[in-house]
Amino acid sequence: MLSGRSIAPAPNHYTKKVVVAVNENSFSAAEFLAAIMQDNHQAIIFGQRTGGAGGLVRSVELSPDFKKAGISDFKLTWTLAWRSSGSPIEDLGVTPDIFYNITVDDLRSGYVGYREALLATAVKQ
C-alpha cells in the first residue's frame, strides 16, 4: 500500500499503433475496452459490430410455484454501460472503424485474408 504517496507517470508514453479486433462474439469487457479505446481515439476498431452485451446481468430465482411450471429463474440486465457519446453499449454494441467480414476463403485458408487486412490496417494507422 502506498499510504499517501503518489506514483509519477512513466516518462515514456506508448507510441505504437493499436488496432482492436472485434466481432459479433465480443461481449462485455471486450466491448468496454473497444468502446473506451474508440471514444478516446486511442485505437482503430477492426472487424464486425460487437454483440451488444454492455450491461451486468443478474439471475433472479423464482418461487417454488414457478419451478413447478418449469420456470426456475429469469435474467435481468440491471446496469448499463454508457459511452462518452451518451449511447449505451447494450443492444448497440461497438461499430468498428474498419469493417471486415470473415469470408469462406478466410476459413479455408487459415484466415490469410483476415490477417492481411488486419496488418494493413495497423500499417496505415
Side-chain angles (χ1 to χ4, degrees):
M1 190 162 164
L2 296 176
S3 64
R5 291 185 299 159
S6 63
I7 298 174
N12 300 323
H13 297 284
Y14 190 78
T15 59
K16 303 285 185 194
K17 299 169 184 167
V18 177
V19 177
V20 177
V22 297
N23 64 27
E24 67 276 0
N25 293 318
S26 301
F27 293 108
S28 297
E31 290 182 293
F32 295 172
L33 173 71
I36 290 166
M37 295 295 279
Q38 188 178 54
D39 290 352
N40 289 286
H41 310 287
Q42 296 298 311
I44 297 298
I45 310 304
F46 174 90
Q48 299 170 331
R49 187 176 66 85
T50 64
L56 185 59
V57 177
R58 175 182 281 174
S59 181
V60 178
E61 195 168 321
L62 298 172
S63 71
D65 292 333
F66 284 97
K67 290 180 183 179
K68 290 177 189 173
I71 304 169
S72 61
D73 66 348
F74 66 91
K75 307 287 190 258
L76 172 69
T77 301
W78 63 289
T79 61
L80 295 176
W82 296 88
R83 297 187 68 168
S84 60
S85 65
S87 64
I89 295 174
E90 185 73 18
D91 293 331
L92 298 177
V94 177
T95 301
D97 300 306
I98 298 175
F99 285 91
Y100 186 90
N101 289 317
I102 293 175
T103 65
V104 172
D105 286 340
D106 288 327
L107 298 173
R108 289 181 180 151
S109 69
Y111 298 94
V112 170
Y114 176 83
R115 287 194 314 260
E116 288 174 353
L118 185 58
L119 289 171
T121 298
V123 169
K124 280 192 258 180
Q125 303 315 316

